[in-house]
PDB file of all heavy atoms in Angstrom:
ATOM      1  N   VAL A  53      -9.837 -30.768   4.416  1.00 65.00           N
ATOM      2  CA  VAL A  53      -9.995 -29.386   3.936  1.00 65.00           C
ATOM      3  C   VAL A  53     -11.312 -29.084   3.479  1.00 65.00           C
ATOM      4  O   VAL A  53     -11.580 -28.036   2.889  1.00 65.00           O
ATOM      5  CB  VAL A  53      -8.844 -29.077   2.876  1.00 65.00           C
ATOM      6  CG1 VAL A  53      -7.511 -29.072   3.396  1.00 65.00           C
ATOM      7  CG2 VAL A  53      -9.077 -29.984   1.642  1.00 65.00           C
ATOM      8  N   PHE A  54     -12.264 -29.962   3.771  1.00 67.00           N
ATOM      9  CA  PHE A  54     -13.703 -29.684   3.554  1.00 67.00           C
ATOM     10  C   PHE A  54     -14.265 -28.707   4.498  1.00 67.00           C
ATOM     11  O   PHE A  54     -13.928 -28.637   5.649  1.00 67.00           O
ATOM     12  CB  PHE A  54     -14.533 -31.065   3.605  1.00 67.00           C
ATOM     13  CG  PHE A  54     -15.879 -30.830   3.691  1.00 67.00           C
ATOM     14  CD1 PHE A  54     -16.640 -30.758   2.572  1.00 67.00           C
ATOM     15  CD2 PHE A  54     -16.541 -30.869   4.928  1.00 67.00           C
ATOM     16  CE1 PHE A  54     -18.106 -30.608   2.642  1.00 67.00           C
ATOM     17  CE2 PHE A  54     -17.954 -30.753   5.079  1.00 67.00           C
ATOM     18  CZ  PHE A  54     -18.716 -30.573   3.978  1.00 67.00           C
ATOM     19  N   LEU A  55     -15.205 -27.906   3.981  1.00 72.00           N
ATOM     20  CA  LEU A  55     -15.843 -26.845   4.845  1.00 72.00           C
ATOM     21  C   LEU A  55     -17.362 -27.225   4.946  1.00 72.00           C
ATOM     22  O   LEU A  55     -18.038 -27.379   3.943  1.00 72.00           O
ATOM     23  CB  LEU A  55     -15.772 -25.472   4.270  1.00 72.00           C
ATOM     24  CG  LEU A  55     -14.377 -24.742   4.461  1.00 72.00           C
ATOM     25  CD1 LEU A  55     -14.463 -23.319   3.937  1.00 72.00           C
ATOM     26  CD2 LEU A  55     -14.003 -24.666   5.970  1.00 72.00           C
ATOM     27  N   HIS A  56     -17.816 -27.291   6.194  1.00 69.00           N
ATOM     28  CA  HIS A  56     -19.253 -27.283   6.499  1.00 69.00           C
ATOM     29  C   HIS A  56     -19.815 -25.925   6.234  1.00 69.00           C
ATOM     30  O   HIS A  56     -19.043 -24.992   6.315  1.00 69.00           O
ATOM     31  CB  HIS A  56     -19.357 -27.719   7.971  1.00 69.00           C
ATOM     32  CG  HIS A  56     -20.827 -27.680   8.460  1.00 69.00           C
ATOM     33  ND1 HIS A  56     -21.449 -26.552   8.962  1.00 69.00           N
ATOM     34  CD2 HIS A  56     -21.733 -28.723   8.511  1.00 69.00           C
ATOM     35  CE1 HIS A  56     -22.688 -26.909   9.309  1.00 69.00           C
ATOM     36  NE2 HIS A  56     -22.833 -28.158   9.020  1.00 69.00           N
ATOM     37  N   PRO A  57     -21.093 -25.833   5.814  1.00 64.00           N
ATOM     38  CA  PRO A  57     -21.654 -24.448   5.545  1.00 64.00           C
ATOM     39  C   PRO A  57     -21.398 -23.452   6.622  1.00 64.00           C
ATOM     40  O   PRO A  57     -21.102 -22.261   6.353  1.00 64.00           O
ATOM     41  CB  PRO A  57     -23.136 -24.757   5.439  1.00 64.00           C
ATOM     42  CG  PRO A  57     -23.220 -26.204   4.875  1.00 64.00           C
ATOM     43  CD  PRO A  57     -22.023 -26.887   5.557  1.00 64.00           C
ATOM     44  N   SER A  58     -21.480 -23.834   7.950  1.00 70.00           N
ATOM     45  CA  SER A  58     -21.239 -22.893   8.915  1.00 70.00           C
ATOM     46  C   SER A  58     -19.789 -22.427   8.994  1.00 70.00           C
ATOM     47  O   SER A  58     -19.498 -21.248   9.255  1.00 70.00           O
ATOM     48  CB  SER A  58     -21.512 -23.497  10.360  1.00 70.00           C
ATOM     49  OG  SER A  58     -20.705 -24.682  10.621  1.00 70.00           O
ATOM     50  N   GLN A  59     -18.833 -23.273   8.594  1.00 80.00           N
ATOM     51  CA  GLN A  59     -17.439 -22.992   8.522  1.00 80.00           C
ATOM     52  C   GLN A  59     -17.218 -22.036   7.228  1.00 80.00           C
ATOM     53  O   GLN A  59     -16.407 -21.136   7.309  1.00 80.00           O
ATOM     54  CB  GLN A  59     -16.570 -24.139   8.501  1.00 80.00           C
ATOM     55  CG  GLN A  59     -16.702 -25.044   9.718  1.00 80.00           C
ATOM     56  CD  GLN A  59     -16.015 -26.455   9.430  1.00 80.00           C
ATOM     57  OE1 GLN A  59     -16.001 -26.860   8.319  1.00 80.00           O
ATOM     58  NE2 GLN A  59     -15.653 -27.049  10.511  1.00 80.00           N
ATOM     59  N   HIS A  60     -17.921 -22.431   6.193  1.00 78.00           N
ATOM     60  CA  HIS A  60     -17.735 -21.676   4.895  1.00 78.00           C
ATOM     61  C   HIS A  60     -18.069 -20.219   5.096  1.00 78.00           C
ATOM     62  O   HIS A  60     -17.351 -19.315   4.622  1.00 78.00           O
ATOM     63  CB  HIS A  60     -18.629 -22.265   3.912  1.00 78.00           C
ATOM     64  CG  HIS A  60     -18.390 -21.805   2.476  1.00 78.00           C
ATOM     65  ND1 HIS A  60     -18.911 -20.578   2.034  1.00 78.00           N
ATOM     66  CD2 HIS A  60     -17.656 -22.344   1.421  1.00 78.00           C
ATOM     67  CE1 HIS A  60     -18.516 -20.380   0.736  1.00 78.00           C
ATOM     68  NE2 HIS A  60     -17.766 -21.396   0.368  1.00 78.00           N
ATOM     69  N   ARG A  61     -19.059 -19.889   5.866  1.00 77.00           N
ATOM     70  CA  ARG A  61     -19.508 -18.511   6.079  1.00 77.00           C
ATOM     71  C   ARG A  61     -18.450 -17.693   6.807  1.00 77.00           C
ATOM     72  O   ARG A  61     -18.267 -16.474   6.597  1.00 77.00           O
ATOM     73  CB  ARG A  61     -20.782 -18.434   6.832  1.00 77.00           C
ATOM     74  CG  ARG A  61     -22.057 -18.827   5.908  1.00 77.00           C
ATOM     75  CD  ARG A  61     -23.335 -18.604   6.549  1.00 77.00           C
ATOM     76  NE  ARG A  61     -23.760 -19.388   7.656  1.00 77.00           N
ATOM     77  CZ  ARG A  61     -24.169 -20.657   7.507  1.00 77.00           C
ATOM     78  NH1 ARG A  61     -24.384 -21.093   6.318  1.00 77.00           N
ATOM     79  NH2 ARG A  61     -24.484 -21.440   8.516  1.00 77.00           N
ATOM     80  N   LEU A  62     -17.672 -18.357   7.720  1.00 86.00           N
ATOM     81  CA  LEU A  62     -16.642 -17.772   8.495  1.00 86.00           C
ATOM     82  C   LEU A  62     -15.417 -17.557   7.553  1.00 86.00           C
ATOM     83  O   LEU A  62     -14.792 -16.342   7.617  1.00 86.00           O
ATOM     84  CB  LEU A  62     -16.260 -18.574   9.627  1.00 86.00           C
ATOM     85  CG  LEU A  62     -17.358 -18.806  10.731  1.00 86.00           C
ATOM     86  CD1 LEU A  62     -16.850 -19.754  11.799  1.00 86.00           C
ATOM     87  CD2 LEU A  62     -17.893 -17.502  11.320  1.00 86.00           C
ATOM     88  N   ALA A  63     -15.132 -18.530   6.845  1.00 88.00           N
ATOM     89  CA  ALA A  63     -13.815 -18.480   5.990  1.00 88.00           C
ATOM     90  C   ALA A  63     -13.961 -17.558   4.788  1.00 88.00           C
ATOM     91  O   ALA A  63     -13.018 -16.898   4.396  1.00 88.00           O
ATOM     92  CB  ALA A  63     -13.470 -19.900   5.549  1.00 88.00           C
ATOM     93  N   TYR A  64     -15.153 -17.461   4.225  1.00 85.00           N
ATOM     94  CA  TYR A  64     -15.367 -16.682   3.028  1.00 85.00           C
ATOM     95  C   TYR A  64     -16.233 -15.396   3.209  1.00 85.00           C
ATOM     96  O   TYR A  64     -16.756 -14.894   2.172  1.00 85.00           O
ATOM     97  CB  TYR A  64     -15.924 -17.619   1.914  1.00 85.00           C
ATOM     98  CG  TYR A  64     -14.947 -18.601   1.407  1.00 85.00           C
ATOM     99  CD1 TYR A  64     -14.866 -19.831   1.995  1.00 85.00           C
ATOM    100  CD2 TYR A  64     -13.992 -18.297   0.478  1.00 85.00           C
ATOM    101  CE1 TYR A  64     -13.874 -20.776   1.519  1.00 85.00           C
ATOM    102  CE2 TYR A  64     -13.058 -19.128   0.022  1.00 85.00           C
ATOM    103  CZ  TYR A  64     -12.989 -20.460   0.501  1.00 85.00           C
ATOM    104  OH  TYR A  64     -12.101 -21.310   0.179  1.00 85.00           O
ATOM    105  N   ALA A  65     -16.309 -14.960   4.437  1.00 84.00           N
ATOM    106  CA  ALA A  65     -17.011 -13.705   4.621  1.00 84.00           C
ATOM    107  C   ALA A  65     -16.309 -12.638   3.856  1.00 84.00           C
ATOM    108  O   ALA A  65     -15.005 -12.561   3.861  1.00 84.00           O
ATOM    109  CB  ALA A  65     -17.034 -13.371   6.108  1.00 84.00           C
ATOM    110  N   PRO A  66     -16.966 -11.773   3.039  1.00 83.00           N
ATOM    111  CA  PRO A  66     -16.216 -10.837   2.265  1.00 83.00           C
ATOM    112  C   PRO A  66     -15.251  -9.933   3.029  1.00 83.00           C
ATOM    113  O   PRO A  66     -14.185  -9.572   2.547  1.00 83.00           O
ATOM    114  CB  PRO A  66     -17.437  -9.978   1.685  1.00 83.00           C
ATOM    115  CG  PRO A  66     -18.549 -10.852   1.604  1.00 83.00           C
ATOM    116  CD  PRO A  66     -18.455 -11.733   2.909  1.00 83.00           C
ATOM    117  N   SER A  67     -15.714  -9.596   4.273  1.00 87.00           N
ATOM    118  CA  SER A  67     -14.736  -8.722   5.111  1.00 87.00           C
ATOM    119  C   SER A  67     -15.145  -8.711   6.517  1.00 87.00           C
ATOM    120  O   SER A  67     -16.320  -8.895   6.856  1.00 87.00           O
ATOM    121  CB  SER A  67     -14.776  -7.354   4.553  1.00 87.00           C
ATOM    122  OG  SER A  67     -13.826  -6.462   5.208  1.00 87.00           O
ATOM    123  N   TYR A  68     -14.203  -8.551   7.386  1.00 91.00           N
ATOM    124  CA  TYR A  68     -14.373  -8.309   8.833  1.00 91.00           C
ATOM    125  C   TYR A  68     -13.792  -6.916   9.135  1.00 91.00           C
ATOM    126  O   TYR A  68     -12.759  -6.532   8.554  1.00 91.00           O
ATOM    127  CB  TYR A  68     -13.668  -9.320   9.720  1.00 91.00           C
ATOM    128  CG  TYR A  68     -14.214 -10.799   9.550  1.00 91.00           C
ATOM    129  CD1 TYR A  68     -13.576 -11.631   8.699  1.00 91.00           C
ATOM    130  CD2 TYR A  68     -15.318 -11.120  10.319  1.00 91.00           C
ATOM    131  CE1 TYR A  68     -14.073 -12.914   8.629  1.00 91.00           C
ATOM    132  CE2 TYR A  68     -15.798 -12.423  10.245  1.00 91.00           C
ATOM    133  CZ  TYR A  68     -15.216 -13.272   9.378  1.00 91.00           C
ATOM    134  OH  TYR A  68     -15.771 -14.605   9.239  1.00 91.00           O
ATOM    135  N   THR A  69     -14.507  -6.142   9.873  1.00 88.00           N
ATOM    136  CA  THR A  69     -14.087  -4.778  10.202  1.00 88.00           C
ATOM    137  C   THR A  69     -12.889  -4.660  11.038  1.00 88.00           C
ATOM    138  O   THR A  69     -12.342  -3.501  11.194  1.00 88.00           O
ATOM    139  CB  THR A  69     -15.270  -4.035  10.789  1.00 88.00           C
ATOM    140  OG1 THR A  69     -15.670  -4.607  11.989  1.00 88.00           O
ATOM    141  CG2 THR A  69     -16.522  -3.938   9.866  1.00 88.00           C
ATOM    142  N   GLY A  70     -12.443  -5.722  11.554  1.00 91.00           N
ATOM    143  CA  GLY A  70     -11.237  -5.757  12.315  1.00 91.00           C
ATOM    144  C   GLY A  70     -10.818  -7.135  12.655  1.00 91.00           C
ATOM    145  O   GLY A  70     -11.243  -8.148  11.980  1.00 91.00           O
ATOM    146  N   PRO A  71      -9.948  -7.424  13.719  1.00 94.00           N
ATOM    147  CA  PRO A  71      -9.622  -8.776  14.082  1.00 94.00           C
ATOM    148  C   PRO A  71     -10.817  -9.619  14.300  1.00 94.00           C
ATOM    149  O   PRO A  71     -11.832  -9.231  14.891  1.00 94.00           O
ATOM    150  CB  PRO A  71      -8.821  -8.565  15.307  1.00 94.00           C
ATOM    151  CG  PRO A  71      -8.292  -7.193  15.307  1.00 94.00           C
ATOM    152  CD  PRO A  71      -9.328  -6.379  14.623  1.00 94.00           C
ATOM    153  N   ALA A  72     -10.793 -10.902  13.740  1.00 93.00           N
ATOM    154  CA  ALA A  72     -11.838 -11.822  13.944  1.00 93.00           C
ATOM    155  C   ALA A  72     -11.392 -13.079  14.625  1.00 93.00           C
ATOM    156  O   ALA A  72     -10.125 -13.495  14.442  1.00 93.00           O
ATOM    157  CB  ALA A  72     -12.450 -12.177  12.645  1.00 93.00           C
ATOM    158  N   LEU A  73     -12.175 -13.716  15.494  1.00 94.00           N
ATOM    159  CA  LEU A  73     -11.807 -14.957  16.256  1.00 94.00           C
ATOM    160  C   LEU A  73     -12.745 -16.035  16.039  1.00 94.00           C
ATOM    161  O   LEU A  73     -13.964 -15.841  16.146  1.00 94.00           O
ATOM    162  CB  LEU A  73     -11.706 -14.526  17.761  1.00 94.00           C
ATOM    163  CG  LEU A  73     -11.486 -15.699  18.681  1.00 94.00           C
ATOM    164  CD1 LEU A  73     -10.109 -16.346  18.506  1.00 94.00           C
ATOM    165  CD2 LEU A  73     -11.708 -15.209  20.144  1.00 94.00           C
ATOM    166  N   VAL A  74     -12.141 -17.228  15.754  1.00 93.00           N
ATOM    167  CA  VAL A  74     -13.016 -18.441  15.553  1.00 93.00           C
ATOM    168  C   VAL A  74     -12.443 -19.491  16.720  1.00 93.00           C
ATOM    169  O   VAL A  74     -11.229 -19.757  16.618  1.00 93.00           O
ATOM    170  CB  VAL A  74     -12.829 -19.094  14.228  1.00 93.00           C
ATOM    171  CG1 VAL A  74     -13.656 -20.440  14.144  1.00 93.00           C
ATOM    172  CG2 VAL A  74     -13.422 -18.129  13.162  1.00 93.00           C
ATOM    173  N   THR A  75     -13.327 -19.803  17.574  1.00 91.00           N
ATOM    174  CA  THR A  75     -12.913 -20.792  18.667  1.00 91.00           C
ATOM    175  C   THR A  75     -13.702 -22.042  18.394  1.00 91.00           C
ATOM    176  O   THR A  75     -14.596 -22.067  17.599  1.00 91.00           O
ATOM    177  CB  THR A  75     -13.190 -20.216  20.005  1.00 91.00           C
ATOM    178  OG1 THR A  75     -14.599 -19.979  20.204  1.00 91.00           O
ATOM    179  CG2 THR A  75     -12.455 -19.007  20.269  1.00 91.00           C
ATOM    180  N   GLY A  76     -13.248 -23.041  19.058  1.00 86.00           N
ATOM    181  CA  GLY A  76     -14.019 -24.340  18.991  1.00 86.00           C
ATOM    182  C   GLY A  76     -13.084 -25.443  19.515  1.00 86.00           C
ATOM    183  O   GLY A  76     -11.829 -25.358  19.404  1.00 86.00           O
ATOM    184  N   ALA A  77     -13.696 -26.501  20.074  1.00 83.00           N
ATOM    185  CA  ALA A  77     -12.917 -27.514  20.671  1.00 83.00           C
ATOM    186  C   ALA A  77     -12.217 -28.342  19.579  1.00 83.00           C
ATOM    187  O   ALA A  77     -12.438 -28.195  18.427  1.00 83.00           O
ATOM    188  CB  ALA A  77     -13.832 -28.396  21.630  1.00 83.00           C
ATOM    189  N   ALA A  78     -11.417 -29.349  20.128  1.00 84.00           N
ATOM    190  CA  ALA A  78     -10.735 -30.219  19.154  1.00 84.00           C
ATOM    191  C   ALA A  78     -11.553 -30.851  18.105  1.00 84.00           C
ATOM    192  O   ALA A  78     -12.603 -31.390  18.468  1.00 84.00           O
ATOM    193  CB  ALA A  78      -9.932 -31.281  20.044  1.00 84.00           C
ATOM    194  N   GLY A  79     -11.096 -30.760  16.938  1.00 83.00           N
ATOM    195  CA  GLY A  79     -11.772 -31.477  15.757  1.00 83.00           C
ATOM    196  C   GLY A  79     -12.876 -30.805  15.151  1.00 83.00           C
ATOM    197  O   GLY A  79     -13.610 -31.306  14.323  1.00 83.00           O
ATOM    198  N   THR A  80     -13.212 -29.487  15.538  1.00 85.00           N
ATOM    199  CA  THR A  80     -14.353 -28.737  14.957  1.00 85.00           C
ATOM    200  C   THR A  80     -13.927 -28.052  13.628  1.00 85.00           C
ATOM    201  O   THR A  80     -14.785 -27.366  13.066  1.00 85.00           O
ATOM    202  CB  THR A  80     -14.887 -27.720  15.977  1.00 85.00           C
ATOM    203  OG1 THR A  80     -13.749 -26.858  16.458  1.00 85.00           O
ATOM    204  CG2 THR A  80     -15.524 -28.443  17.156  1.00 85.00           C
ATOM    205  N   GLY A  81     -12.739 -28.177  13.143  1.00 86.00           N
ATOM    206  CA  GLY A  81     -12.385 -27.640  11.854  1.00 86.00           C
ATOM    207  C   GLY A  81     -11.839 -26.263  11.811  1.00 86.00           C
ATOM    208  O   GLY A  81     -11.818 -25.555  10.799  1.00 86.00           O
ATOM    209  N   LYS A  82     -11.330 -25.751  13.016  1.00 90.00           N
ATOM    210  CA  LYS A  82     -10.741 -24.396  13.054  1.00 90.00           C
ATOM    211  C   LYS A  82      -9.601 -24.190  12.088  1.00 90.00           C
ATOM    212  O   LYS A  82      -9.567 -23.179  11.319  1.00 90.00           O
ATOM    213  CB  LYS A  82     -10.270 -24.159  14.483  1.00 90.00           C
ATOM    214  CG  LYS A  82     -11.303 -24.230  15.569  1.00 90.00           C
ATOM    215  CD  LYS A  82     -10.688 -24.013  16.948  1.00 90.00           C
ATOM    216  CE  LYS A  82      -9.689 -24.966  17.305  1.00 90.00           C
ATOM    217  NZ  LYS A  82     -10.065 -26.315  17.378  1.00 90.00           N
ATOM    218  N   THR A  83      -8.661 -25.228  11.993  1.00 90.00           N
ATOM    219  CA  THR A  83      -7.581 -25.068  11.145  1.00 90.00           C
ATOM    220  C   THR A  83      -7.975 -25.077   9.675  1.00 90.00           C
ATOM    221  O   THR A  83      -7.421 -24.332   8.892  1.00 90.00           O
ATOM    222  CB  THR A  83      -6.548 -26.232  11.417  1.00 90.00           C
ATOM    223  OG1 THR A  83      -6.084 -26.101  12.711  1.00 90.00           O
ATOM    224  CG2 THR A  83      -5.386 -26.148  10.415  1.00 90.00           C
ATOM    225  N   VAL A  84      -9.004 -25.891   9.315  1.00 89.00           N
ATOM    226  CA  VAL A  84      -9.538 -25.852   7.938  1.00 89.00           C
ATOM    227  C   VAL A  84     -10.145 -24.489   7.637  1.00 89.00           C
ATOM    228  O   VAL A  84      -9.856 -24.007   6.532  1.00 89.00           O
ATOM    229  CB  VAL A  84     -10.561 -27.037   7.817  1.00 89.00           C
ATOM    230  CG1 VAL A  84     -11.219 -26.914   6.344  1.00 89.00           C
ATOM    231  CG2 VAL A  84     -10.068 -28.353   8.155  1.00 89.00           C
ATOM    232  N   VAL A  85     -10.786 -23.899   8.533  1.00 92.00           N
ATOM    233  CA  VAL A  85     -11.302 -22.505   8.307  1.00 92.00           C
ATOM    234  C   VAL A  85     -10.119 -21.557   8.179  1.00 92.00           C
ATOM    235  O   VAL A  85     -10.196 -20.718   7.214  1.00 92.00           O
ATOM    236  CB  VAL A  85     -12.168 -22.069   9.549  1.00 92.00           C
ATOM    237  CG1 VAL A  85     -12.521 -20.534   9.424  1.00 92.00           C
ATOM    238  CG2 VAL A  85     -13.430 -22.899   9.538  1.00 92.00           C
ATOM    239  N   ALA A  86      -9.088 -21.690   8.880  1.00 94.00           N
ATOM    240  CA  ALA A  86      -7.928 -20.760   8.746  1.00 94.00           C
ATOM    241  C   ALA A  86      -7.239 -20.981   7.335  1.00 94.00           C
ATOM    242  O   ALA A  86      -6.933 -19.981   6.652  1.00 94.00           O
ATOM    243  CB  ALA A  86      -6.877 -21.085   9.843  1.00 94.00           C
ATOM    244  N   LEU A  87      -7.171 -22.237   6.919  1.00 93.00           N
ATOM    245  CA  LEU A  87      -6.523 -22.430   5.562  1.00 93.00           C
ATOM    246  C   LEU A  87      -7.400 -21.753   4.461  1.00 93.00           C
ATOM    247  O   LEU A  87      -6.840 -21.116   3.543  1.00 93.00           O
ATOM    248  CB  LEU A  87      -6.480 -23.999   5.269  1.00 93.00           C
ATOM    249  CG  LEU A  87      -5.465 -24.718   6.180  1.00 93.00           C
ATOM    250  CD1 LEU A  87      -5.656 -26.224   5.993  1.00 93.00           C
ATOM    251  CD2 LEU A  87      -4.012 -24.346   5.706  1.00 93.00           C
ATOM    252  N   HIS A  88      -8.736 -22.015   4.533  1.00 91.00           N
ATOM    253  CA  HIS A  88      -9.585 -21.392   3.519  1.00 91.00           C
ATOM    254  C   HIS A  88      -9.553 -19.876   3.546  1.00 91.00           C
ATOM    255  O   HIS A  88      -9.628 -19.202   2.532  1.00 91.00           O
ATOM    256  CB  HIS A  88     -10.995 -21.871   3.704  1.00 91.00           C
ATOM    257  CG  HIS A  88     -11.256 -23.340   3.146  1.00 91.00           C
ATOM    258  ND1 HIS A  88     -11.639 -23.496   1.761  1.00 91.00           N
ATOM    259  CD2 HIS A  88     -11.062 -24.437   3.609  1.00 91.00           C
ATOM    260  CE1 HIS A  88     -11.846 -24.806   1.600  1.00 91.00           C
ATOM    261  NE2 HIS A  88     -11.429 -25.351   2.682  1.00 91.00           N
ATOM    262  N   ARG A  89      -9.468 -19.386   4.807  1.00 94.00           N
ATOM    263  CA  ARG A  89      -9.380 -17.852   4.853  1.00 94.00           C
ATOM    264  C   ARG A  89      -8.193 -17.288   4.244  1.00 94.00           C
ATOM    265  O   ARG A  89      -8.169 -16.331   3.570  1.00 94.00           O
ATOM    266  CB  ARG A  89      -9.486 -17.436   6.389  1.00 94.00           C
ATOM    267  CG  ARG A  89      -9.601 -15.870   6.580  1.00 94.00           C
ATOM    268  CD  ARG A  89     -10.991 -15.453   6.035  1.00 94.00           C
ATOM    269  NE  ARG A  89     -11.125 -14.025   6.058  1.00 94.00           N
ATOM    270  CZ  ARG A  89     -12.145 -13.308   5.500  1.00 94.00           C
ATOM    271  NH1 ARG A  89     -13.096 -14.008   4.830  1.00 94.00           N
ATOM    272  NH2 ARG A  89     -12.194 -12.030   5.569  1.00 94.00           N
ATOM    273  N   ALA A  90      -7.038 -17.934   4.475  1.00 94.00           N
ATOM    274  CA  ALA A  90      -5.836 -17.468   3.887  1.00 94.00           C
ATOM    275  C   ALA A  90      -5.844 -17.524   2.431  1.00 94.00           C
ATOM    276  O   ALA A  90      -5.416 -16.643   1.717  1.00 94.00           O
ATOM    277  CB  ALA A  90      -4.663 -18.426   4.409  1.00 94.00           C
ATOM    278  N   VAL A  91      -6.454 -18.683   1.820  1.00 91.00           N
ATOM    279  CA  VAL A  91      -6.664 -18.720   0.310  1.00 91.00           C
ATOM    280  C   VAL A  91      -7.485 -17.584  -0.180  1.00 91.00           C
ATOM    281  O   VAL A  91      -7.216 -16.972  -1.151  1.00 91.00           O
ATOM    282  CB  VAL A  91      -7.134 -20.135  -0.066  1.00 91.00           C
ATOM    283  CG1 VAL A  91      -7.500 -20.115  -1.480  1.00 91.00           C
ATOM    284  CG2 VAL A  91      -6.054 -21.112   0.209  1.00 91.00           C
ATOM    285  N   TYR A  92      -8.627 -17.354   0.554  1.00 91.00           N
ATOM    286  CA  TYR A  92      -9.564 -16.314   0.131  1.00 91.00           C
ATOM    287  C   TYR A  92      -8.858 -14.952   0.057  1.00 91.00           C
ATOM    288  O   TYR A  92      -9.052 -14.149  -0.865  1.00 91.00           O
ATOM    289  CB  TYR A  92     -10.780 -16.263   1.144  1.00 91.00           C
ATOM    290  CG  TYR A  92     -11.634 -15.078   0.825  1.00 91.00           C
ATOM    291  CD1 TYR A  92     -12.626 -15.002  -0.248  1.00 91.00           C
ATOM    292  CD2 TYR A  92     -11.581 -14.023   1.651  1.00 91.00           C
ATOM    293  CE1 TYR A  92     -13.370 -13.951  -0.428  1.00 91.00           C
ATOM    294  CE2 TYR A  92     -12.398 -12.830   1.486  1.00 91.00           C
ATOM    295  CZ  TYR A  92     -13.369 -12.909   0.405  1.00 91.00           C
ATOM    296  OH  TYR A  92     -14.107 -11.789   0.164  1.00 91.00           O
ATOM    297  N   LEU A  93      -8.215 -14.634   1.103  1.00 93.00           N
ATOM    298  CA  LEU A  93      -7.419 -13.330   1.188  1.00 93.00           C
ATOM    299  C   LEU A  93      -6.384 -13.261   0.109  1.00 93.00           C
ATOM    300  O   LEU A  93      -6.183 -12.163  -0.489  1.00 93.00           O
ATOM    301  CB  LEU A  93      -6.844 -13.155   2.578  1.00 93.00           C
ATOM    302  CG  LEU A  93      -7.898 -12.969   3.715  1.00 93.00           C
ATOM    303  CD1 LEU A  93      -7.176 -13.025   5.057  1.00 93.00           C
ATOM    304  CD2 LEU A  93      -8.630 -11.715   3.607  1.00 93.00           C
TER     305      LEU A  93
END
């Protein structure tokens, strides 16, 4: 559940103006970003 700085900026962005999409191949931490985003919200 660790976030790399590049992931941190996506998960903890103060706001997105609409739907946001994070893609990435296997093992790049997409699910971790999703978890952190849910907690932030």
Side-chain angles (χ1 to χ4, degrees):
V53 292
F54 162 85
L55 281 183
H56 178 272
S58 62
Q59 299 167 336
H60 189 280
R61 288 190 285 278
L62 301 176
Y64 288 93
S67 185
Y68 293 97
T69 57
L73 171 66
V74 176
T75 62
T80 53
K82 302 179 298 299
T83 297
V84 179
V85 171
L87 289 167
H88 280 267
R89 188 64 184 171
V91 167
Y92 170 79
L93 293 170

